[in-house]
Amino acid sequence: MERWGGMVDVAKDEIPVISPVPSTPGLLVMGGFTFGLTQGLGAGELMADLVAGDVPKINAKNFELARITVG
């Protein structure tokens, strides 16, 4: 018999969160990935844009923390 134990870090809508935290200026979060290796490069580039204060190359709204914390 095989067993596995662990924790799965997945957002409830299965879309990762890559976002500033509005209530804490300067804090950015990135997590909730379902397929880390396939999303890694784009996610890293989006987070780098957010950290640098650059305009993201993709629509960052789809990954905002507010989508899972409001309502």
Side-chain angles (χ1 to χ4, degrees), residues 48-56:
D49 287 342
L50 293 174
V51 168
D54 296 338
V55 175

Side-chain angles (χ1 to χ4, degrees), residues 16-44:
V17 173
I18 307 168
S19 172
V21 178
S23 62
T24 309
L27 178 63
L28 292 101
V29 296
M30 184 166 148
F33 290 84
T34 53
F35 303 102
L37 292 176
T38 59
Q39 299 170 342
L41 295 175

